[in-house]
Amino acid sequence: MLIGYARVSSKEQNLDRQLLQLKNFGCEYIVEEKASGKNRYERQKFQELLQKIRFKDVIVVTELSRIARSLKDLLDIINELREKEVSFVSLKENIDTGENNFHNQFLLNLLGALAEYEHELIRERQYEGIELAKNKGKYTGKSIQYSSQAQGKNKILYDTVIKMLSKNESIMNIHNTTGLARNTIYRIKNEEQKKQNGLL
């Protein structure tokens, strides 16, 4: 099933242009949302859409900015859809993850590299900010809630995530089992991969 997703950031903005493009593309059903794109977990209709999609569905947007505000967020969403064997199409950028061709692979690889670069820039700015705060005596550090150093229930949940990841369980299954946010599970997964590769 072709499912369109149209979004604008405020109630004053108009969805008509997106709706027309999605209908012309052949979308059988369109989800409309007027909400900020800053945090996808706060977009209620988008979260409901992720829960309802089924095997072989296709999610269509008019452009990438309608579904994600950062490259990491975009790739997380695409990976989540792939786990459900759902394809993703962006009309403006001519991306279709259901087609295994050079154009799509190149774009996704490029987006992956840019996302990593974006992440490293953020980490570098955070590091510089921490160092500046330390020099001013204002930095006290922040403990991570779910980690190998956690205690009690948080440690049990962390160990459960690690165990399920080692069995190649999907992020969605881990999320449903533990109740942890998907971005938390992705963080644990990335940290575990870095440990295995000797990067941490």
Side-chain angles (χ1 to χ4, degrees), residues 108-124:
L108 291 174
N109 288 338
L110 178 61
L111 290 173
L114 289 172
E116 185 64 26
Y117 175 65
E118 178 184 62
H119 179 64
E120 288 304 317
L121 284 179
I122 292 171
R123 286 186 61 185
E124 185 176 341

Side-chain angles (χ1 to χ4, degrees), residues 171-182:
I171 298 297
M172 184 57 66
N173 284 345
I174 299 174
H175 164 70
N176 291 335
T177 300
T178 63
L180 295 183
R182 286 181 287 271

